[in-house]
Amino acid sequence: MMAPRIVVAGSANMDLVGIAERLPLPGETVLGDDFVMMPGGKGANQAIAASRAGGHAVFLGAIGSDSFGVTLNARLNAAGVDTGHLRTAYGASGVAVIMVDRAAENSILVAPGANSMFTDLTGDEERVIAGGDVLLCQLEIPIDTVAAACKAARAGGTRTILNAAPARELPSDLLADVDLLVVNEVEAQTITGSERPDMAALLALVPRVVLTLGGAGSRYAERDGRDETVPAFPVEATDTTAAGDAFTAALAVAWGEGRDLMEAVRWANAAGAACVRKLGASNALPTRDEIDELYTS
Ligand code: ADP
């Protein structure tokens, strides 16, 4: 079978992670234990996850003209992501400065840098989107760009998945071009403006919804159709970072392969579970074999 083309239009950041016994207070300096640097940003993470899950992942976005941009590009390529249409914007790459203490509590500062310059889709970018099987977007780039990408997908017959993270309200012109919305409970509350995530309210906005429920799995519902909760695969959770990215990317790959959405959600649950078993973010994203192994266990 041909690998489905998954076009991810989203953010790329360099994650700079410092680990210390405790987080510094304002104005304080703390000597740390360790430092690691790795590619991050939901867009880049989901592109890498889609590639590992067996998709032909194409990443659209903007990296900076600094050395982080060079490294981000190299890491995406090494993961098998097609970066041939990735923009380089003059200036700084997106960076997340992350401090983590030994109890895994964290403080994070994100400087979007080049991500905020990913505006006004080019004709080339629109053609890439129209040529995909699935377009996958998140909300770490300008919202007008997300809307334009979904519009280009709709015009080109490409299915659209919006992972509405981080949480924010969504303009109706964007929602009109979303085929499948993937949200956790907090995001569902923000979008509907209601305390209790209400599936009917979400289905009034988009035709298909996947609600991720952490260790309880996920729930898939469609307008005038199925509404089922799919339990999580029982694993020992070590680190839930990037579980949502692994889940969403696997869902895109399975849907792009033409699998039924109910089955795609179950397979995505296996991807999320395989991710939480491992420590770390992009390095914990599971391969297709790891997902299949858990799926068939
Ligand atoms: P987010 O990080 O976006 O809030 P979730 O925490 O809901 O996303 O996780 C996404 C998916 O990963 C879940 O729907 C589930 O399939 C899987 N997952 C998350 N936590 C666990 C866990 N403790 N055990 C098994 N699967 C998990």
Side-chain angles (χ1 to χ4, degrees):
M1 182 175 54
M2 282 261 289
R5 283 179 80 84
I6 312 300
V7 181
V8 181
S11 60
N13 292 329
M14 190 55 88
D15 286 355
L16 310 177
V17 189
I19 299 144
E21 186 182 348
R22 61 179 184 80
L23 300 177
L25 298 167
E28 189 191 21
T29 300
V30 165
L31 271 186
D33 298 333
D34 204 358
F35 170 78
V36 285
M37 184 169 103
M38 55 198 161
K42 288 181 190 300
N45 275 353
Q46 292 184 16
I48 292 171
S51 174
R52 289 204 190 195
H56 176 93
V58 185
F59 183 57
L60 299 180
I63 53 175
S65 56
D66 53 3
S67 63
F68 289 149
V70 175
T71 308
L72 279 169
N73 196 38
R75 297 285 185 89
L76 285 159
N77 280 317
V81 175
D82 180 346
T83 59
H85 305 270
L86 180 57
R87 300 184 192 185
T88 302
Y90 184 75
S93 292
V95 169
V97 181
I98 305 172
M99 294 186 285
V100 185
D101 72 11
R102 287 185 194 159
E105 189 61 63
N106 61 37
S107 292
I108 303 178
L109 182 157
V110 176
N115 294 299
S116 58
M117 288 154 82
F118 183 30
T119 57
D120 303 309
L121 288 184
T122 63
D124 177 54
E125 287 164 337
E126 286 175 351
R127 275 188 293 278
V128 169
I129 291 168
D133 292 302
V134 175
L135 170 74
L136 178 54
C137 293
Q138 317 77 24
L139 300 174
E140 290 183 340
I141 55 171
I143 193 87
D144 290 347
T145 306
V146 177
C150 289
K151 192 170 288 302
R154 178 57 58 84
T158 304
R159 290 187 270 196
T160 58
I161 300 180
L162 176 64
N163 175 210
R168 57 159 289 167
E169 285 171 41
L170 299 174
S172 52
D173 67 322
L174 165 58
L175 285 165
D177 290 321
V178 172
D179 295 315
L180 172 61
L181 182 69
V182 179
V183 286
N184 64 21
E185 287 170 292
V186 174
E187 291 144 13
Q189 285 168 359
T190 306
I191 290 166
T192 56
S194 123
E195 292 252 317
R196 312 191 77 231
D198 178 358
M199 195 53 96
L202 290 168
L203 287 172
L205 304 171
V206 293
R208 298 170 200 85
V209 174
V210 172
L211 187 64
T212 64
L213 305 167
S218 49
R219 180 174 163 195
Y220 171 68
E222 56 199 25
R223 210 178 267 166
D224 308 319
R226 300 174 288 182
D227 182 348
E228 284 177 47
T229 296
V230 186
F233 285 83
V235 294
E236 196 179 323
T238 308
D239 179 2
T240 58
T241 313
D245 292 335
F247 176 94
T248 308
L251 185 66
V253 170
W255 203 26
E257 286 169 352
R259 289 155 84 171
D260 176 73
L261 264 171
M262 212 67 232
E263 187 199 331
V265 167
R266 202 167 292 121
W267 198 66
N269 268 354
C275 184
V276 304
R277 280 194 304 204
K278 284 197 199 168
L279 207 62
S282 50
N283 52 312
L285 298 168
T287 62
R288 189 175 184 91
D289 285 347
E290 287 168 338
I291 302 170
D292 277 336
E293 196 190 306
L294 200 56
Y295 183 70
T296 54
S297 67

